[in-house]
Amino acid sequence: MGDSSYLNQHYEEHVRSRIDLVNSLMSLGVEQDLSLPAIAVIGDQSSGKSSVLEALSGVALPRGTGIVTRCPLVLQLKRASHGTAWSGRLSYQGYEVGLEKPEDVGDEVIEAQNTLAGEGHDISDKKINLEIFASNVPDLTLIDLPGIARVATGNQSDNIDEKIKKLILQYIKQQETIILVVVPANVDIATTEALRMAKTVDPEGQRTLGILTKPDLVDKGAEEGVVKTLNNQAIRLEKGYMVVRCRGQKDITDGMSLDKSLQKEREFFSNHMNFRIFLDERKASIPHLSEKLTKELVYHIGRSIPLLERQVIDKLEQTSTQLKLLGDRIPEDEAGRVKFLTGKILEFTQVLTNVVRAEEDLEDSDTRVFTKIRNLFKVWKAELDEKDKRLKRKMDAAAMKEYAEQHRGKELPGFLNYRIFEDLVKGHVKELEVPALDLLRCCKDIICMNVSEITTKFFEIYPYLMREVRINLEKLRDQEYKRAEKKLKSQFAMEKMVYSEDGLYIEKFLVVKSETEADKKSNSKDSDFDGTTQHLRAYLKITTDRLVNQVPLIVLHHMLDQYIGQMKEAMLGILTHKKFEKFTEERSDVAQERKNLRSRMERLEEARQALNSFVPV
């Protein structure tokens, strides 16, 4: 690769600083979080992709039939000063091995692929990093991706083609990625799957560069089509096309060195009637491709740095927000855990207190619990009023006379004994008991759902604590619900006893009498029962007034004040529970997520520092 003297020292520093910046970001692993400028190399199987990479890197990569590249291979080429011995380093998933000579590369890559993708022909999306330090390589980073298979062969999975395309798309769909499409010169480029895939993600060809290989295999007389492609007159790409001639299998078998291959390549293009013009235009040969790729990548990196800085800042903010949503990490020492859990419980009980006071935060709901319950109480009041209206319509003098006749004992005409009056009261009260119990159940559901949501919000990531809290909640809920139910039934049992304070009763009777005064003439022939009807309506109004307030008071007392009030006491008792240490254990997935987020924060912080300290040469 001695033809690389086109780079002067200043340009070398300019190139190295930018590529080193991206390589350092890659080594931090930030490509998991944001898209880094890169060159992805794709091609159909047997397109000559491996030969191009070998020529650029100066090392022999795995060769063979079928899928040879089975994992993404990040090839980091770093130019060393003249006279520096060749060295390399291969790493993947925490494993790292030093390489002393180029011949070691192929076997190590195969072993890495077998480890990540298994023995055979399957693929994996796990990356292998290969760093090469040599005086005869350009400063360049390339990502080699599996060759596109048309159909499964041998022991390959039936959907191997879909898996490969999915993996390739993960890389080439990123707008920060330059797509290097390798296509044999002796085939119709319009039929190649690699170029078709590049077009799907880069339809205008803004970031795609075409590389034609195997020009020596082009049939005589077919050179015009290759020339047309190289002149960007076939399928247009903004970055155009280049052509290279690499070692073939016979050259490798004959032991031809890469340096000798470069010499033969130059001779081929220099002596070719149709292609030599492209050598002069720097569109042919591996050295010119090396130069082109380096310039493209360096330009791409320089243009991407401001965007990377913004992305890092945005990702840091997002990650910080996600960590806050997970809450503070539990201290490891016992005193710290006690303090942490005490604070958590006090905060929880304060939120419950706010629910009772109708002062809870509305960030997760647009209606407070007390407001929802109050709306149910309005429905209860409306139901009582409606029953009162229906009773008024039913209790005219004619109806009362008919009822009295049906239930009459020894009474003389016009009389209604006390037992009949009491039966009417009991019948009316009985109709109200079921709606009252329904009201209790609905209010319980609203309150318990809200308390459950609060509990989940506070303790979901602490499974043992969550279980203990829910046990206490259910126990107190059932206890207070039963007490409220018992008290309501007791209330309705008492309502079946006819009683009212005399002054209150007379006051209510006079109001009813005044309301029905105008109806006396029309009911004059049944006037014997007018007074009885008025007495009954007056008493039932008193019953209604009692129930419209008493039922909600019973509900509120037991399902809010007592239920939540006792919950606060039960929560404080957790601090002395024998399973206290268990209560501070996080759910395993949350602990892992917290670890991942902290790890992301660390690498993004390092990435920000690297970007901030970068000084363009």
Side-chain angles (χ1 to χ4, degrees):
M1 189 102 28
D3 198 24
S4 58
S5 58
Y6 66 90
L7 292 173
N8 59 34
Q9 184 176 356
H10 175 77
Y11 186 69
E12 286 182 354
E13 293 173 353
H14 173 78
V15 169
R16 173 60 67 86
S17 63
R18 282 162 171 74
I19 294 180
D20 279 353
L21 172 64
V22 173
N23 286 343
S24 69
L25 295 177
M26 280 187 177
S27 67
L28 292 172
V30 293
E31 73 270 17
Q32 305 171 55
D33 315 304
L34 43 89
S35 301
L36 296 175
I39 299 177
V41 187
I42 66 172
D44 293 11
Q45 281 186 16
S46 304
S47 62
K49 181 167 60 71
S50 295
S51 298
V52 173
L53 293 171
E54 281 183 354
L56 289 169
S57 65
V59 299
L61 296 171
R63 281 175 173 265
T65 58
I67 302 172
V68 179
T69 303
R70 301 197 292 126
C71 301
L73 176 65
V74 181
L75 187 58
Q76 297 178 354
L77 308 178
K78 299 182 179 181
R79 177 182 300 217
S81 58
H82 186 69
T84 303
W86 186 97
S87 66
R89 183 169 56 235
L90 184 139
S91 60
Y92 56 93
Q93 286 195 326
Y95 172 81
E96 184 175 303
V97 60
L99 306 171
E100 297 181 356
K101 53 185 185 296
E103 293 77 15
D104 297 337
V105 171
D107 290 340
E108 289 293 345
V109 171
I110 290 174
E111 186 175 337
Q113 290 188 149
N114 288 339
T115 300
L116 298 177
E119 301 279 348
H121 298 279
D122 208 350
I123 67 166
S124 170
D125 60 359
K126 298 180 177 67
K127 288 188 301 184
I128 301 170
N129 292 287
L130 175 59
E131 295 177 80
I132 293 173
F133 305 85
S135 58
N136 64 337
V137 297
D139 282 306
L140 188 61
T141 299
L142 303 163
I143 303 174
D144 183 23
L145 297 169
I148 302 170
R150 299 281 183 163
V151 293
T153 59
N155 61 354
Q156 294 174 355
S157 55
D158 293 338
N159 65 338
I160 189 68
D161 57 329
E162 295 177 11
K163 292 166 72 173
I164 291 173
K165 290 175 184 178
K166 183 179 179 181
L167 174 59
I168 290 173
L169 283 172
Q170 286 178 13
Y171 285 85
I172 66 174
K173 70 181 179 181
Q174 304 296 338
Q175 294 302 307
E176 292 76 14
T177 299
I178 297 171
I179 308 170
L180 192 64
V181 181
V182 180
V183 181
N186 61 336
V187 302
D188 181 2
I189 63 170
T191 65
T192 59
E193 187 66 18
L195 191 58
R196 189 197 66 78
M197 287 189 68
K199 278 289 187 180
T200 61
V201 295
D202 182 31
E204 301 301 321
Q206 296 289 330
R207 52 190 181 87
T208 303
L209 173 64
I211 306 299
L212 302 184
T213 61
K214 307 178 183 180
D216 52 318
L217 300 181
V218 175
D219 293 335
K220 196 169 183 63
E223 294 92 348
E224 186 178 339
V226 179
V227 170
K228 186 177 180 181
T229 298
L230 287 169
N231 283 325
N232 218 358
Q233 295 171 341
I235 297 177
R236 180 172 176 76
L237 298 176
E238 192 66 27
K239 295 186 182 300
Y241 293 83
M242 296 189 71
V243 60
V244 297
R245 181 188 183 279
C246 304
R247 291 187 304 176
Q249 188 58 49
K250 186 176 185 304
D251 297 329
I252 296 171
T253 303
D254 294 343
M256 181 186 291
S257 68
L258 288 167
D259 286 340
K260 182 65 175 175
S261 174
L262 288 174
Q263 182 183 338
K264 285 196 66 175
E265 178 191 47
R266 186 170 187 83
E267 291 173 358
F268 172 81
F269 286 121
S270 297
N271 297 323
H272 200 288
M273 182 177 64
N274 300 100
F275 300 151
R276 62 188 173 202
I277 186 174
F278 297 109
L279 186 64
D280 297 334
E281 293 177 355
R282 310 184 81 84
K283 291 182 180 179
S285 81
I286 288 294
H288 289 154
L289 174 61
S290 171
E291 176 186 351
K292 170 76 170 176
L293 291 177
T294 301
K295 285 183 176 180
E296 287 286 353
L297 182 57
V298 169
Y299 169 74
H300 203 53
I301 291 171
R303 192 179 62 175
S304 300
I305 287 175
L307 177 61
L308 284 173
E309 290 173 335
R310 289 196 296 273
Q311 285 182 346
V312 167
I313 291 171
D314 291 344
K315 284 286 184 179
L316 276 169
E317 291 178 354
Q318 292 173 16
T319 307
S320 177
T321 300
Q322 288 175 284
L323 272 171
K324 287 178 181 176
L325 289 174
L326 283 182
D328 297 328
R329 183 170 59 180
I330 298 176
E332 295 182 3
D333 61 293
E334 184 175 352
R337 288 200 302 272
V338 171
K339 183 178 179 181
F340 173 84
L341 193 54
T342 301
K344 197 79 174 171
I345 288 173
L346 290 176
E347 187 181 358
F348 173 69
T349 56
Q350 182 58 53
V351 171
L352 293 181
T353 299
N354 291 341
V355 171
V356 176
R357 295 174 177 173
E359 297 174 355
E360 69 264 36
D361 193 344
L362 291 181
E363 62 178 17
D364 298 324
S365 174
D366 57 356
T367 309
R368 288 191 166 93
V369 170
F370 196 88
T371 302
K372 293 177 182 178
I373 295 174
R374 187 191 293 276
N375 289 335
L376 290 179
F377 292 163
K378 289 179 181 178
V379 173
W380 168 243
K381 170 68 164 60
E383 187 161 4
L384 290 175
D385 290 343
E386 180 59 30
K387 284 190 177 293
D388 186 64
K389 290 177 183 177
R390 289 202 299 268
L391 186 67
K392 181 179 179 181
R393 289 192 295 269
K394 286 167 44 178
M395 285 173 33
D396 57 18
M400 288 299 298
K401 178 180 180 182
E402 181 181 353
Y403 186 88
E405 289 296 330
Q406 291 173 351
H407 296 82
R408 178 179 167 191
K410 294 183 177 181
E411 299 84 12
L412 295 173
F415 286 90
L416 187 66
N417 69 20
Y418 184 78
R419 182 182 56 78
I420 294 176
F421 182 89
E422 191 176 43
D423 287 345
L424 288 169
V425 171
K426 288 180 179 180
H428 181 71
V429 169
K430 185 177 181 180
E431 289 181 5
L432 298 175
E433 185 171 352
V434 171
L437 293 172
D438 288 341
L439 173 66
L440 169 63
R441 186 170 57 255
C442 290
C443 290
K444 178 205 69 173
D445 291 344
I446 289 174
I447 294 165
C448 290
M449 182 179 295
N450 181 261
V451 172
S452 179
E453 288 172 355
I454 294 171
T455 305
T456 300
K457 180 178 178 180
F458 271 85
F459 306 117
E460 185 179 23
I461 65 175
Y462 312 106
Y464 291 100
L465 179 58
M466 180 79 164
R467 188 179 303 119
E468 183 68 19
V469 173
R470 287 203 180 279
I471 288 172
N472 286 326
L473 282 172
E474 290 171 6
K475 180 180 178 181
L476 290 172
R477 177 200 65 198
D478 293 344
Q479 173 184 296
E480 292 306 317
Y481 180 76
K482 288 177 182 177
R483 287 176 178 174
E485 186 180 48
K486 182 178 180 180
K487 194 167 288 186
L488 280 178
K489 289 180 177 180
S490 177
Q491 179 70 34
F492 278 92
M494 289 187 289
E495 290 297 344
K496 291 173 184 177
M497 299 167 52
V498 179
Y499 173 78
S500 173
E501 191 272 330
D502 291 347
L504 176 62
Y505 180 77
I506 291 170
E507 178 184 339
K508 196 67 72 174
F509 175 77
L510 292 175
V511 170
V512 171
K513 185 177 181 181
S514 174
E515 289 175 353
T516 57
E517 193 69 35
D519 296 333
K520 279 192 174 181
K521 290 183 179 179
S522 61
N523 295 324
S524 56
K525 60 181 179 179
D526 296 315
S527 58
D528 289 337
F529 290 97
D530 283 343
T532 301
T533 300
Q534 292 166 12
H535 280 292
L536 188 58
R537 284 184 54 212
Y539 182 78
L540 291 179
K541 275 186 174 292
I542 293 172
T543 300
T544 296
D545 289 347
R546 275 200 299 255
L547 292 175
V548 80
N549 286 302
Q550 190 65 13
V551 169
L553 281 173
I554 292 171
V555 172
L556 290 173
H557 174 70
H558 287 283
M559 299 315 302
L560 265 183
D561 286 5
Q562 291 299 302
Y563 172 48
I564 292 181
Q566 292 182 70
M567 187 62 208
K568 291 191 290 185
E569 295 179 12
M571 286 300 299
L572 292 174
I574 286 176
L575 295 174
T576 58
H577 199 285
K578 62 181 180 180
K579 292 184 179 179
F580 171 79
E581 287 192 6
K582 283 283 188 182
F583 293 154
T584 55
E585 287 185 12
E586 277 188 328
R587 220 172 53 207
S588 59
D589 61 316
V590 174
Q592 185 61 49
E593 183 180 359
R594 190 191 303 280
K595 181 181 178 181
N596 293 342
L597 289 173
R598 288 187 177 278
S599 178
R600 184 194 298 172
M601 286 285 289
E602 290 173 4
R603 62 176 176 263
L604 287 171
E605 282 290 356
E606 290 186 57
R608 180 163 66 174
Q609 291 174 17
L611 287 165
N612 288 342
S613 61
F614 174 72
V615 179
V617 178

